[in-house]
């Protein structure tokens, strides 16, 4: 799926213009907020349950269905107001159509939770890949037919719909006509902080889009959205599955706090694995990726290379934070996670907005600097949940970062000295990015083997046995 998404980005970038991507980025903002509310935090709560009660799951299903309908209606109602604020009348239709996405997500949340609870991640992965392929093919076909940004809108709707239908069929869960307030309340109590946290995180991710659209221009929105779009497949394609497995592993080890040390070890293992897979390649492209973006996306997108380089630290740290989020969940400290998220959002937004008048590059750079500076504070919050050594958490990031910097500088030097053409330089940069990941894995092979073994074993081992 990651390779498919990576391949689709340059194809769509060459068929659609920058304005199409700007409209899509702006159009997704309100539906994304609604999408974070569609699950209401209840899906994660269901996964934690050791016993399966069909009436309990049916109650959650019907409740989320009502939530999804309400959210879709709210998005449609907000569309004209949002379009007027952003000075883009095209957003009325785009936002209204995209209102279907949070409704679909609300309806399939319980089915996805059933698959995750049964550890059927292979089926989740196959469905995600298949729906993604069909969504991309639809987008490419419509883009070639001249549909413009509607090709991107159709991709979102089709992917969500096909994924939802497949999850509903495969999960085996069939809701009854049952509803119990007593069975719902424990999930609402758990979900409220998770829900608020998701909203805060969405606001954090969408702040640049809204700010660039209001203060700078749609061109700035286009560059930022392409930076996000180009990096998202690798980040979510790896961080998402690792976080899902980590949640199940940690849940089975927690056992009312008796497995706190093992949960801390699982966090370090998952973080090291993600950092090894993500950090080196991204850092190499930050140093020597300009020709890659031009070669893949075309000349008008050249400025994306510089924005990407400045954004890399924040993008990477956001990706690995997905494993830390699971620590808060299994320890039932979603209140602490919410407090941390609000604090980070407020401080980060102040820094970001203070830099915004100085231009796009300065705002993106300060966003990354803040992300790095906040990490010790983030680990401090995790320490309140499990016995985590902050220095140990920092050390797992050192090797992948060092490998990426060394290979990136070397690649940059070789390209400058060789004076090769655009295609050769781009292929060399991509090859070196791939080599850097392999090199980081080779150097840290011993630790990585232990980490993978720990994650696998924890799925079947319980701390109270």
């Amino acid at each position: 799926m990651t390779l498919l998404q990576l391949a689709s980005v340059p194809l769509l970038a060459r068929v659609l213009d920058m304005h199409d991507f700007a409209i899509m980025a702006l159009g997704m903002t309100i539906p994304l907020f609604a999408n974070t509310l569609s699950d209401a935090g209840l899906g994660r709560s269901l996964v934690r349950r050791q016993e399966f009660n069909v009436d309990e799951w049916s109650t959650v299903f019907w409740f989320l269905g009502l939530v999804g309908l309400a959210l879709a209606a709210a998005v449609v109602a907000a569309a004209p107001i949002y379009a007027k604020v952003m000075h883009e009348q095209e957003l009325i239709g785009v936002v209204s159509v995209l209102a279907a996405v949070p409704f679909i997500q609300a309806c399939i949340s319980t089915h996805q939770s059933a698959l995750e609870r049964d550890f059927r991640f292979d089926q989740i992965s196959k469905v995600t890949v298949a729906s993604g392929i069909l969504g991309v093919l639809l987008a490419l076909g419509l883009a070639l037919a001249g549909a413009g940004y509607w090709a991107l809108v159709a991709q979102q709707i089709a992917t969500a719909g096909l994924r939802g239908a497949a999850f509903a069929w495969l999960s085996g869960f069939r809701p009854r006509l049952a509803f119990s307030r007593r069975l719902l309340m424990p999930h609402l109590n758990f979900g409220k902080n998770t829900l608020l946290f998701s909203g805060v995180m969405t606001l954090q991710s969408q702040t640049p889009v809204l700010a660039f659209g209001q203060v700078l221009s749609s061109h700035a929105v286009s560059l930022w959205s392409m930076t996000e779009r180009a990096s998202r497949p690798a980040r979510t394609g790896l961080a998402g599955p690792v976080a899902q497995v980590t949640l199940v592993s940690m849940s089975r080890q927690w056992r009312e706090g008796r497995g706190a040390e093992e949960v801390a070890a699982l966090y370090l293992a998952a973080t090291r694995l993600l950092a090894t897979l993500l950090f080196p390649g991204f850092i190499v492209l930050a140093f020597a990726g300009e020709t890659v973006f031009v070669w893949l996306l075309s000349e008008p997108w050249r400025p994306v290379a510089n924005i990407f380089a400045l954004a890399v630290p924040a993008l990477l740290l956001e990706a690995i934070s997905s494993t830390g989020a699971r620590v808060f969940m299994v320890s039932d400290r979603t209140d602490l996670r919410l407090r941390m998220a609000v604090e980070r959002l407020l401080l980060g937004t102040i820094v970001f907005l203070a830099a915004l008048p100085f231009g796009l590059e300065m705002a993106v750079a300060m966003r990354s600097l803040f992300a790095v500076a906040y990490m010790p504070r983030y680990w401090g919050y995790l320490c309140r949940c499990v016995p985590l050594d902050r220095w140990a958490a920092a050390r797992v990031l050192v090797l992948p970062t060092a490998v990426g910097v060394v290979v990136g500088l070397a690649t940059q030097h070789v390209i400058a000295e060789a004076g090769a053409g655009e295609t050769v330089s781009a292929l060399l940069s991509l090859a070196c990015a791939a080599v850097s990941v392999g090199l980081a894995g080779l150097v840290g092979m011993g630790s990585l083997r232990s980490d993978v073994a720990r994650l696998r074993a924890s799925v079947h081992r319980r701390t109270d046995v």
Side-chain angles (χ1 to χ4, degrees):
M1 184 61 190
T2 299
L3 293 176
L4 170 68
Q5 291 177 325
L6 285 172
S8 68
V9 169
L11 293 175
L12 290 170
R14 290 177 179 276
V15 178
L16 302 175
D17 60 33
M18 298 180 78
H19 179 69
D20 292 328
F21 286 96
I23 290 296
M24 186 60 188
L26 291 169
M28 280 298 294
T29 298
I30 292 182
L32 278 176
F33 276 113
N35 210 39
T36 62
L37 305 177
S38 63
D39 175 73
L42 305 190
R44 302 282 72 76
S45 184
L46 286 172
V47 171
R48 302 186 312 153
R49 292 295 197 193
Q50 299 302 311
E51 304 294 332
F52 180 84
N53 182 330
V54 67
D55 288 339
E56 179 180 29
W57 282 66
S58 297
T59 295
V60 172
F61 172 82
W62 294 116
F63 176 77
L64 289 179
L66 292 174
V67 169
L69 278 175
L71 288 172
V75 170
V76 172
I81 301 172
Y82 179 64
K84 185 175 181 180
V85 171
M86 301 307 297
H87 308 292
E88 294 284 357
Q89 288 304 301
E90 298 158 294
L91 290 174
I92 297 177
V94 171
V95 172
S96 297
V97 173
L98 288 172
V101 174
F103 173 69
I104 294 171
Q105 181 58 40
C107 292
I108 68 169
S109 180
T110 48
H111 298 287
Q112 182 174 346
S113 297
L115 292 169
E116 292 178 3
R117 182 181 179 275
D118 294 337
F119 219 69
R120 294 159 67 185
F121 294 108
D122 57 332
Q123 293 184 346
I124 293 175
S125 178
K126 289 176 182 177
V127 168
T128 301
V129 169
S131 60
I133 290 174
L134 293 174
V136 167
L137 292 176
L138 176 63
L140 288 172
L142 291 174
L144 289 170
Y149 52 76
W150 287 110
L152 301 175
V153 173
Q155 179 185 10
Q156 294 293 324
I157 302 295
T159 301
L162 291 169
R163 188 165 170 263
F167 283 171
W169 177 56
L170 290 172
S171 69
F173 168 62
R174 301 295 180 264
R176 294 178 178 175
L177 289 175
F179 191 90
S180 169
R181 185 175 181 274
R182 177 183 60 81
L183 294 174
L184 180 64
M185 288 309 296
H187 297 289
L188 290 178
N189 291 332
F190 173 88
K192 62 182 180 182
N193 289 326
T194 300
L195 181 63
L196 290 171
F197 171 80
S198 297
V200 170
M201 294 305 294
T202 302
L203 181 58
Q204 177 180 302
S205 67
Q206 292 303 301
T207 294
V209 175
L210 295 171
F212 294 150
Q214 279 289 302
V215 179
L216 299 179
S217 64
S218 62
H219 181 70
V221 175
S222 299
L223 295 178
W224 174 254
S225 68
M226 184 54 72
T227 298
E228 279 269 297
R229 184 177 284 266
S231 63
R232 189 183 305 129
R235 290 185 292 128
T236 58
L238 294 172
V242 170
Q244 287 177 323
V245 172
T246 302
L247 174 61
V248 176
S249 300
M250 288 179 175
S251 297
R252 297 188 179 187
Q253 297 308 308
W254 179 250
R255 297 298 182 263
E256 304 299 330
R258 293 191 298 275
E261 290 187 5
E262 178 62 18
V263 169
L266 286 169
Y267 166 75
L268 293 176
T271 301
R272 180 171 16 238
L273 180 61
L274 271 180
T276 302
L277 293 172
L278 289 174
F279 278 36
F282 270 66
I283 294 172
V284 169
L285 293 178
F287 278 103
E290 182 175 353
T291 54
V292 173
F293 286 97
V294 175
W295 183 62
L296 289 176
L297 304 178
S298 72
E299 181 62 34
W301 294 101
R302 182 182 291 273
V304 171
N306 190 40
I307 304 303
F308 174 83
L310 295 171
V312 157
L315 294 175
L316 291 176
L317 293 177
E318 287 167 6
I320 65 169
S321 68
S322 59
T323 56
R326 273 53 188 173
V327 175
F328 291 113
M329 286 183 179
V330 299
S331 62
D332 204 15
R333 291 306 309 272
T334 53
D335 60 325
L336 194 61
R337 182 176 68 156
L338 176 61
R339 191 188 315 166
M340 177 276 299
V342 171
E343 176 186 274
R344 184 170 59 182
L345 172 65
L346 292 176
L347 294 175
T349 301
I350 291 171
V351 172
F352 175 77
L353 293 179
L356 191 58
F358 298 96
L360 175 63
E361 291 81 2
M362 180 61 73
V364 174
M366 292 306 297
R367 188 173 184 271
S368 288
L369 287 174
F370 173 78
V372 174
Y374 192 81
M375 282 307 294
R377 177 74 171 165
Y378 177 79
W379 288 322
Y381 274 104
L382 289 180
C383 288
R384 302 185 196 182
C385 304
V386 294
L388 177 69
D389 182 348
R390 273 183 272 196
W391 288 110
R395 283 196 297 271
V396 301
L397 306 181
V398 171
L399 177 60
T401 301
V403 171
V405 171
V406 170
V407 177
L409 288 172
T411 305
Q412 187 182 59
H413 176 74
V414 170
I415 290 176
E417 291 295 319
E422 182 180 285
T423 299
V424 174
S425 297
L427 292 175
L428 178 60
S429 295
L430 290 171
C432 289
V435 168
S436 69
V437 176
L439 181 59
L442 185 62
V443 175
M445 180 66 71
S447 298
L448 289 172
R449 281 180 174 173
S450 299
D451 294 337
V452 173
R454 181 183 294 276
L455 287 166
R456 285 178 174 175
S458 63
V459 173
H460 307 290
R461 186 180 69 247
R462 297 188 177 186
T463 57
D464 57 351
V465 176

